Amino acid sequence: MKNITLSVLLALSGTASLPALAQTEPLLSGADMSVVSSEQQFSDAELDSMLAPIALYPDTLLSHILIAATYPLDVVAADRWRQSNQHLTPEQVENVLESVTWDPSVKALAPFTDLLNTMASDLEWLQQLGDSVLISEARVLDRVQVLRQHAHNTGNLVTNDYIEVEREREREREIIYIAPRQREVVYVPFYNPHVVYGNWWHATSPIYWHHRVSYHHHHNVFWAPRVRLSSFFYFGGLHWHNRYVVVHRQPVRHFYHGSPRKRAVSNGYQRWQHRSEHRRARYSSRVVHHAPARYTKHAQSKSRHSSVVRTTTSPRNHLAVTKREISANTSRALQANRLSGKKEAAVNVHRDKLRNTTPRKHKLETTAQLKQTKQSRLSPSREATLQKLKQSRSERLSPVSAKTAKTQRITSAKSERLARVDNSFRTQRQTSTVPARQSKAVKTYNERRAPQQLKTQRESSKVSRQISNKVSRNVASPSKAPQRSVIQSKRSVSSKQMVRH
């Protein structure tokens, strides 16, 4: 019985407290939200310490820093690129970055190597500055004027060889303008806030940016080496009367050498608008709660699974029902998270496979083709390999027969070569060139023999004439002696002719 009464009392106390908790949850989300968001706002001390290292920069350079702080990923990418391309001059950097998709203010800061590196190395400061600009430009520019007023009161903000300082009275407040002394050349100052601004008036200490030893020291300020820029650098400015950043509608073609007070009052300038689609990063809770409504839709908020507790009339079963519902809700939430994680992993894997299939196939095909071509070049034909194997086997089995086979092959090759030479010689003799050569030889022989025949003919004719004369004489006086002489003469002539022939 005691256990039953205790359970009933616990159930009644639970039913009385649970509706109270259900009623207070929406009140916390609605009423106390303003308290939480007010605590998230930057105080004047935080803004002053945040703006201390850049408040004394020229107005144009300061406007580029404020705009670039709202795009932190572009600043980091520009710093990494600049660190790997330090050999480029500022003019070359401007020409190279024309086609890059970074914000124009980030491109304008790319020639300032040390300044860009300092901004990108302190990501917390960069995010806080960008958030404060998105929340309220007017408040940021007000604190900049406060810091400049302190530096002017201490005597550290005056016109010198590097900057030109002008003051203007506007109703109850004073505006201080800072511009480069030479519009083509910009010097970046580095200074100690405790020295330049005097005694610091906040409990939080200001941010101090370190500088290189080689910087030139002048009037409590260290000046970086000059950076020569074109007129395109002066597309941004600060409208101090209305406290917002302005940009020029078209690229500036010529340098402006007038007073810096009229720089942002020109008709060619319009108010700068932050591009939320170009940020490439989610906004912080400060920007979501305090900035204009156009930044909230791009913020990534975590989904909270709220479980609604249902009360029943029976007090005994109330605790069991609530426990079951809570356990069911938690198990569902865990299952949903697991399934969502698995689905996302599967989708990512499938996406990676789709991305990598085509190049992988192409790569495999190309490698296979290269292997085939290499094998076709290096590996011999099938017949040649078989012949080599047979020769090596025969040499291993019978070395003497292999030598004899080798000699037979050499002799057969020689005999074939000789047969070819003989056949070619025969074919040449059978051609028309051989009779021509023979006829030519006969002709030359006949030409040499012709004068000898003529000579013999002349001698024979002479001898015949002599014989005829003698015969005629003998006829006139016949005797035996002359006949004998004639016969002898004929014999001698015939013998001479036979010898010559």
Side-chain angles (χ1 to χ4, degrees):
M1 292 295 292
K2 291 180 180 179
N3 293 329
I4 294 170
T5 54
L6 286 173
S7 62
V8 170
L9 289 172
L10 288 171
L12 290 173
S13 62
T15 53
S17 61
L18 285 172
L21 289 171
Q23 290 177 1
T24 55
E25 281 183 357
L27 289 174
L28 285 171
S29 61
D32 296 338
M33 200 66 183
S34 60
V35 178
V36 176
S37 62
S38 63
E39 292 177 355
Q40 290 179 352
Q41 290 181 0
F42 292 105
S43 61
D44 291 343
E46 290 175 343
L47 281 175
D48 289 346
S49 64
M50 190 190 308
L51 297 170
I54 61 173
L56 303 185
Y57 283 7
D59 292 349
T60 306
L61 184 60
L62 180 61
S63 66
H64 293 328
I65 292 172
L66 296 178
I67 295 171
T70 60
Y71 305 105
L73 292 180
D74 289 354
V75 173
V76 175
D79 174 60
R80 290 179 180 177
W81 178 84
R82 185 58 177 153
Q83 292 299 323
S84 60
N85 295 279
Q86 293 185 4
H87 62 280
L88 298 177
T89 61
E91 294 83 359
Q92 293 174 347
V93 169
E94 289 183 359
N95 296 328
V96 169
L97 296 180
E98 286 182 359
S99 59
V100 183
T101 59
W102 298 335
D103 189 77
S105 294
V106 178
K107 295 180 187 179
L109 293 176
F112 302 91
T113 308
D114 295 339
L115 175 61
L116 192 66
N117 188 13
T118 306
M119 293 174 61
S121 60
D122 194 352
L123 293 177
E124 185 178 0
W125 173 87
L126 185 65
Q127 185 179 1
Q128 289 177 358
L129 180 62
D131 292 347
S132 60
V133 172
L134 291 175
I135 292 168
S136 178
E137 298 176 35
R139 190 158 175 260
V140 171
L141 297 179
D142 277 335
R143 301 315 300 176
V144 169
Q145 286 296 327
V146 170
L147 291 169
R148 287 184 178 183
Q149 191 65 43
H150 281 280
H152 180 72
N153 294 335
T154 56
N156 294 317
L157 184 60
V158 292
T159 302
N160 51 32
D161 296 336
Y162 305 100
I163 57 173
E164 183 179 355
V165 181
E166 289 190 12
R167 300 170 64 190
E168 183 182 5
R169 192 71 184 179
E170 182 190 15
R171 297 178 184 177
E172 297 179 356
R173 59 185 179 180
E174 188 178 14
I175 300 174
I176 298 176
Y177 302 90
I178 302 175
R181 191 66 182 270
Q182 298 177 359
R183 297 296 187 271
E184 298 85 358
V185 179
V186 177
Y187 296 90
V188 180
F190 288 84
Y191 46 86
N192 188 354
H194 291 284
V195 176
V196 173
Y197 299 116
N199 294 325
W200 192 251
W201 55 95
H202 294 299
T204 57
S205 60
I207 295 174
Y208 174 67
W209 284 359
H210 296 277
H211 57 83
R212 297 189 181 182
V213 181
S214 60
Y215 288 178
H216 186 260
H217 183 262
H218 178 74
H219 206 271
N220 295 329
V221 179
F222 293 88
W223 299 92
R226 64 179 183 178
V227 179
R228 186 174 292 276
L229 300 168
S230 63
S231 59
F232 293 97
F233 177 74
Y234 292 94
F235 66 87
L238 299 171
H239 200 296
W240 290 109
H241 295 282
N242 295 326
R243 297 288 197 271
Y244 56 76
V245 184
V246 293
V247 290
H248 204 273
R249 296 173 184 171
Q250 295 177 356
V252 180
R253 302 293 180 185
H254 303 285
F255 288 104
Y256 179 78
H257 295 280
S259 175
R261 289 181 293 178
K262 297 180 181 179
R263 186 78 180 109
V265 186
S266 174
N267 294 326
Y269 284 87
Q270 60 183 355
R271 185 170 183 176
W272 166 73
Q273 297 291 334
H274 175 74
R275 293 185 297 168
S276 58
E277 69 278 2
H278 187 69
R279 184 175 169 87
R280 300 172 187 171
R282 72 177 189 177
Y283 297 93
S284 63
S285 59
R286 294 189 183 94
V287 178
V288 171
H289 291 302
H290 300 286
R294 61 178 179 271
Y295 304 137
T296 57
K297 61 183 179 181
H298 296 281
Q300 297 177 2
S301 59
K302 294 181 180 180
S303 61
R304 297 178 180 177
H305 299 277
S306 59
S307 60
V308 179
V309 180
R310 295 180 182 178
T311 58
T312 56
T313 54
S314 60
R316 295 180 181 178
N317 297 329
H318 180 73
L319 288 174
V321 170
T322 52
K323 287 180 180 179
R324 288 174 188 173
E325 288 180 354
I326 291 167
S327 61
N329 289 328
T330 53
S331 61
R332 286 172 189 172
L334 290 172
Q335 288 178 0
N337 291 328
R338 289 173 184 172
L339 289 173
S340 62
K342 289 180 180 179
K343 285 180 181 179
E344 288 178 358
V347 168
N348 291 328
V349 170
H350 184 62
R351 192 181 297 160
D352 294 333
K353 284 182 179 180
L354 289 175
R355 287 178 182 174
N356 297 326
T357 47
T358 53
R360 189 177 179 185
K361 286 181 180 178
H362 183 66
K363 188 175 181 180
L364 291 171
E365 290 176 357
T366 52
T367 51
Q369 290 177 359
L370 289 171
K371 285 181 179 178
Q372 288 178 0
T373 53
K374 192 173 181 180
Q375 288 177 0
S376 63
R377 289 177 184 174
L378 297 175
S379 62
S381 61
R382 187 178 179 182
E383 295 177 358
T385 52
L386 291 172
Q387 192 173 2
K388 286 181 179 179
L389 288 171
K390 287 179 181 179
Q391 290 177 2
S392 62
R393 187 176 180 183
S394 62
E395 287 175 359
R396 271 183 271 141
L397 294 174
S398 58
V400 177
S401 62
K403 288 182 180 179
T404 55
K406 190 174 181 180
T407 52
Q408 287 177 1
R409 271 189 262 114
I410 292 167
T411 53
S412 63
K414 285 182 180 180
S415 61
E416 287 178 0
R417 207 176 296 131
L418 291 172
R420 287 175 189 170
V421 172
D422 193 7
N423 291 329
S424 63
F425 183 74
R426 286 178 183 177
T427 52
Q428 288 178 2
R429 287 179 64 186
Q430 290 176 2
T431 53
S432 61
T433 56
V434 176
R437 288 179 184 176
Q438 290 178 359
S439 61
K440 189 175 180 181
V442 171
K443 189 176 180 180
T444 53
Y445 177 75
N446 292 331
E447 287 177 354
R448 290 177 184 175
R449 192 178 176 188
Q452 293 178 0
Q453 289 180 356
L454 290 171
K455 190 175 180 181
T456 54
Q457 286 178 2
R458 286 174 186 172
E459 289 178 357
S460 62
S461 62
K462 188 176 179 181
V463 170
S464 63
R465 269 192 246 114
Q466 290 176 0
I467 291 168
S468 62
N469 290 330
K470 287 180 179 180
V471 169
S472 62
R473 288 175 188 172
N474 292 326
V475 171
S477 58
S479 61
K480 292 180 181 179
Q483 290 179 357
R484 290 176 183 172
S485 62
V486 171
I487 292 165
Q488 289 177 359
S489 63
K490 284 183 180 180
R491 287 177 180 173
S492 63
V493 168
S494 61
S495 64
K496 287 181 181 177
Q497 288 179 356
M498 287 297 290
V499 169
R500 288 174 182 172
H501 285 293

